[in-house]
Amino acid sequence: MSLLHKLLIGSVAAGVATSPLFAQETAGGPECLLELSVDNNVDWRGQLGRGYEVFSGEESYEVVSVVVRHQGQACDYFLTGMPQEGGNEALLTGPYGALAYDVLRQPSGPSLLSPDYAGNELTRLHGRFPDGAGAQQYVLYVAIPPEQNVGGGIYSDQVQLRVFADHFGSPELMDQASFAITAPVADTLEVDSIDAGPGANTLKIDLGNLAPGVVRVLDFSLRSNAPIRVGANSQNKGFLAHQASAPGIPYSLVVGGNRIDLSSNRLTQAIAGDLSNRTIVPFRIEVEPNYGAAAGTYSDVLTITFQVDG
């Protein structure tokens, strides 16, 4: 990912979603038999269709369809779930940490996940079948809370679902099934010029009188979940060119205490520090005193390139 900014430099000197599949009453069998199946894994696409957006504050969900099938005598049952690694927190693990997630009975909750093998009263999804064959479908909602800052890569986990027959408060495991959750995270870079304003990528700068020398500081607001590098390309190779072709005036661009090579567009300078929160990075334009320079207008076009260093 690259972002370009051009500088023109010049001067003049609610409920669980369910749908019954079938419910045909027959003579009661010798026992209650339950079978659990999951129709799909979850490939997290997000609102923009490209995976988890680390800097988005918008809630987003993916759905997974689960079916409980029944044969035999009438019985109560409940459905519950557990992350693959167990523990008190459900995490999608990846190359740069982890993303917290949840599996919900509806977008507003409650959660179906519990660190307990048989769940608990807060996480159990209860149901009941009459005698005979029947099935019940449930739509569950996978949520990854927004604004979790992790580096780019693939983050994943498995969820284990279990269905229990509830014999007068004594649960019996009848079946279990799992589904995978996979969330790609892209390297993300946001750049704004404080001087030009949000969303603008061009700026005209008046350096004023060049004779005594000039220092002008431009502030850029950066946010990224990856290391980034910056480079700059000068149309006049680091000189402010005279309007009538008199000798030009050299100038420098300093970022993080280092001078950028203006004769090429190589990404030579790394931006140090944690950029997970918006960080202001100053860019200094420096012109040495030029009392002997010809009168007139001097200008250059400077293109600054930001790129994730992945």
Side-chain angles (χ1 to χ4, degrees):
M1 174 188 296
S2 297
L3 298 177
L4 304 180
H5 284 257
K6 286 189 180 294
L7 308 181
L8 308 179
I9 304 174
S11 172
V12 177
V16 178
T18 67
S19 59
L21 297 183
F22 60 89
Q24 177 184 357
E25 291 198 13
T26 65
E31 61 181 337
C32 167
L33 301 176
L34 298 173
E35 179 184 298
L36 178 63
S37 63
V38 180
D39 286 354
N40 61 284
N41 293 317
V42 173
D43 296 317
W44 188 271
R45 305 312 303 158
Q47 291 187 331
L48 300 179
R50 60 188 184 188
Y52 182 76
E53 304 286 340
V54 293
F55 296 137
S56 172
E58 300 295 327
E59 297 279 355
S60 184
Y61 305 91
E62 302 286 349
V63 298
V64 59
S65 178
V66 178
V67 179
V68 180
R69 292 180 171 84
H70 170 261
Q71 295 278 350
Q73 294 180 349
C75 64
D76 294 314
Y77 70 92
F78 64 82
L79 185 67
T80 189
M82 175 185 285
Q84 182 180 38
E85 299 300 328
N88 294 321
E89 191 173 10
L91 297 173
L92 303 175
T93 56
Y96 298 103
L99 291 169
Y101 74 94
D102 207 346
V103 178
L104 308 171
R105 288 150 58 176
Q106 58 184 10
S108 59
S111 175
L112 194 72
L113 300 183
S114 169
D116 302 322
Y117 185 83
N120 56 58
E121 286 305 315
L122 296 177
T123 63
R124 292 175 178 175
L125 176 53
H126 290 274
R128 177 175 174 78
F129 283 112
D131 285 343
Q136 186 70 55
Q137 183 180 48
Y138 297 94
V139 176
L140 305 178
Y141 297 84
V142 177
I144 305 178
E147 298 183 328
Q148 300 183 69
N149 192 356
V150 295
I154 302 296
Y155 293 75
S156 62
D157 194 23
Q158 292 264 347
V159 175
Q160 189 77 38
L161 298 179
R162 301 184 178 96
V163 61
F164 291 81
D166 196 2
H167 302 302
F168 305 103
S170 178
E172 177 187 1
L173 177 64
M174 302 300 292
D175 199 8
Q176 54 190 346
S178 63
F179 66 92
I181 304 173
T182 303
V185 176
D187 289 335
T188 302
L189 170 61
E190 296 179 352
V191 180
D192 282 313
S193 166
I194 303 301
D195 299 86
N201 62 359
T202 60
L203 175 65
K204 186 174 183 178
I205 304 166
D206 186 352
L207 296 178
N209 183 10
L210 298 176
V214 175
V215 173
R216 176 69 184 273
V217 178
L218 306 174
D219 289 329
F220 285 88
S221 171
L222 308 180
R223 184 165 65 160
S224 179
N225 66 335
I228 67 172
R229 299 187 74 83
V230 62
N233 180 261
S234 163
Q235 180 174 288
N236 298 314
K237 306 302 182 184
F239 283 82
L240 298 171
H242 188 267
Q243 66 186 85
S245 300
I249 296 176
Y251 73 97
S252 301
L253 178 66
V254 180
V255 181
N258 297 307
R259 295 186 185 276
I260 301 294
D261 181 5
L262 299 181
S263 64
S264 71
N265 196 31
R266 289 180 293 133
L267 299 171
T268 57
Q269 179 61 43
I271 302 296
D274 180 8
L275 300 176
S276 58
N277 296 312
R278 285 205 172 272
T279 302
I280 303 301
V281 178
F283 284 60
R284 289 169 54 91
I285 297 173
E286 299 179 352
V287 182
E288 297 294 330
N290 291 275
Y291 289 105
T297 300
Y298 293 78
S299 65
D300 190 22
V301 177
L302 180 64
T303 301
I304 298 176
T305 303
F306 301 87
Q307 181 170 305
V308 294
D309 191 17

